[in-house]
Amino acid sequence: MQKEEGEALCKLRRGEPQPANGEAAHLTWKELMEEVVAPDNIARAMKRVTANHGSPGIDRMTVDELPDHWRRHEGILREQLLAGTYKPTAVRRVTIPKPDGGERELGIPTVTDRLVQQAILQVLGPRYDAGFSQHSHGFRPGHSAHDAVLEAQSYIQEGYDWVVDVDLERFFDRVNHDVLMGRLAKRIADKRMLKILRGFLNAGVMLNGVVVDQEEGTPQGGPLSPLLANVLLDELDKSLEARGHRFVRYADDCNIYVRSQRAGERVMASMRKELTKLRLRINEAKSAVDRPWNRRFLGFTFTRGRETRRRVSPRAVEKAKDRIRALTNRNRGTSITTVVKELTQYLRGWLQYFGLCQVPRPRRDLDEWIRARLRLLQVKQWKRGTTAYPRLVAMGAYEAAAIHTAQNLRRWWHSAHSPGMSQAMPIRYFDGLGLPRLA
């Protein structure tokens, strides 16, 4: 058995094709902790953790201090991991705003725990990934959100133009530890590995100086959480595959595509039953059986008609505007050049993701709105018409247009859209500053 497992893992690491029926997935895995503490595995994990930076955990140790800490305590830590006596530390709770309102809770492990988690992920990840569904794209090497969006588009184009849009209610907070450990124990024979995984799940959260036990959930913020989520939801994927459904999943976002509303209602009912087995619940307020062009998926939506095209969702545009408003706040007192540099960094990332869109109009409108925001910032900084007029003329505005803008300078938004500002700060002006175009 160990020889078969070793050969399968070597093929996986070399990138060789895996059996279509998932033969490697039926092997049980022993002596995993020896691989975890192997020097080359720890070195790769150290490189990854330090490169990701990140905030300290409850012990306040930074990633810069981690390499020296490991060198000084390497013997003890290796011995604890091999003996199965390593005890994870409670995570530090932080909250970040969610795109749709509210807050998302993150659990920040100590950097030592992050190193151990990353080392475990490098051992377990390739093994589990070989057996995961090809329709699961979240947090997997060789998969991306773009892959998920393209697959969804292909189903709609084929005529599966009803979507069962399933949103799981507080998924990462509701993961049942016993259910998850049961799934892990089916494949992992190394009891030390199972013990440390249970330890990470049960480590608890530090709140106001007190450690609060966690009876369910896998805190977002550690390297292992995405893998554990995929392990749990892989059972759902296999159930959908067995029924021949067209579906795509990215983490806890799952869309199933069908040909009619009635079929969609049946699938939604069966999903409720399947998720109950995993002790999970559907967020009824955010889930629905609907047309794909009425829903959004990973920030995208789709057009209706003979040809299905990808477009940025209105919600994603509004989220971008919120960020841009903060960067172009007219009360910041920052120069246009500095603001454009900050804005460029954000827009390049936004464009890298939403450049996949095939409908240019929303991005073109956003381009125009951004330029208006920057003109507004400049108008506000000029403050007085006597200051604005000569500058407008010097920047290329016609005299009549410059006079009109200067006389109405206190009407900020009106002035930003005036011919005088458009002539003084045309599109080529922003091109010269390096501002990227979104369309």
Side-chain angles (χ1 to χ4, degrees), residues 143-367:
H143 294 257
S144 69
H146 284 178
D147 294 327
V149 172
L150 292 172
E151 185 177 355
Q153 181 185 13
S154 70
Y155 294 143
I156 302 167
Q157 189 65 54
E158 289 172 15
Y160 294 86
D161 54 1
W162 283 86
V163 61
V164 183
D165 185 354
V166 177
D167 183 274
L168 299 182
E169 186 177 272
R170 298 186 64 190
F171 169 70
F172 285 93
D173 296 329
R174 294 284 172 82
V175 169
N176 183 278
H177 292 176
D178 292 335
V179 173
L180 175 57
M181 291 305 302
R183 300 299 180 275
L184 293 167
K186 288 181 179 180
R187 305 281 301 280
I188 298 174
D190 190 327
K191 301 298 182 183
R192 299 165 299 176
M193 178 64 77
L194 292 173
K195 184 177 179 181
I196 192 172
L197 291 175
R198 171 73 81 167
F200 279 119
L201 291 174
N202 294 341
V205 176
M206 179 73 79
L207 294 174
N208 300 320
V210 178
V211 176
V212 179
D213 293 336
Q214 294 290 93
E215 297 181 358
E216 60 181 9
T218 171
Q220 298 181 74
L224 270 176
S225 292
L227 174 64
L228 297 179
N230 277 333
V231 169
L232 183 62
L233 292 177
D234 185 58
E235 184 167 323
L236 179 65
D237 297 340
K238 295 300 192 293
S239 174
L240 291 169
E241 285 180 340
R243 298 177 186 182
H245 286 306
R246 275 77 174 168
F247 77 96
V248 57
R249 183 174 67 80
Y250 190 92
D252 55 338
D253 288 327
C254 184
N255 280 5
I256 305 108
Y257 294 87
V258 295
R259 291 189 182 272
S260 68
Q261 184 176 7
R262 178 177 292 184
E265 298 293 351
R266 287 198 301 268
V267 171
M268 181 66 85
S270 68
M271 287 288 287
R272 290 189 182 94
K273 294 179 181 178
E274 289 293 329
L275 290 168
T276 298
K277 297 177 185 177
L278 299 176
R279 310 274 184 92
L280 297 172
R281 290 185 297 193
I282 290 177
N283 186 329
E284 300 293 347
K286 295 183 178 181
S287 303
V289 177
D290 203 346
R291 296 290 196 175
W293 43 85
N294 295 331
R295 308 295 295 178
R296 65 179 185 274
F297 182 53
L298 303 177
F300 294 83
T301 188
F302 303 95
T303 61
R304 61 188 303 174
R306 180 175 299 179
E307 181 185 358
T308 301
R309 294 191 297 166
R310 304 177 297 273
R311 64 177 294 163
V312 58
S313 71
R315 191 60 166 274
V317 172
E318 287 305 313
K319 181 183 175 184
K321 284 186 173 182
D322 287 341
R323 177 63 178 147
I324 294 164
R325 284 189 186 98
L327 291 172
T328 59
N329 189 317
R330 61 178 184 262
N331 295 317
R332 288 184 63 190
T334 308
S335 70
I336 289 287
T337 303
T338 301
V339 170
V340 167
K341 286 182 180 178
E342 296 174 357
L343 194 56
T344 295
Q345 184 176 2
Y346 170 74
L347 292 178
R348 282 177 178 166
W350 193 92
L351 187 59
Q352 185 177 8
Y353 186 75
F354 286 107
L356 189 70
C357 290
Q358 297 169 300
V359 179
R361 181 59 184 270
R363 289 184 292 157
R364 188 180 301 122
D365 291 346
L366 188 56
D367 265 337

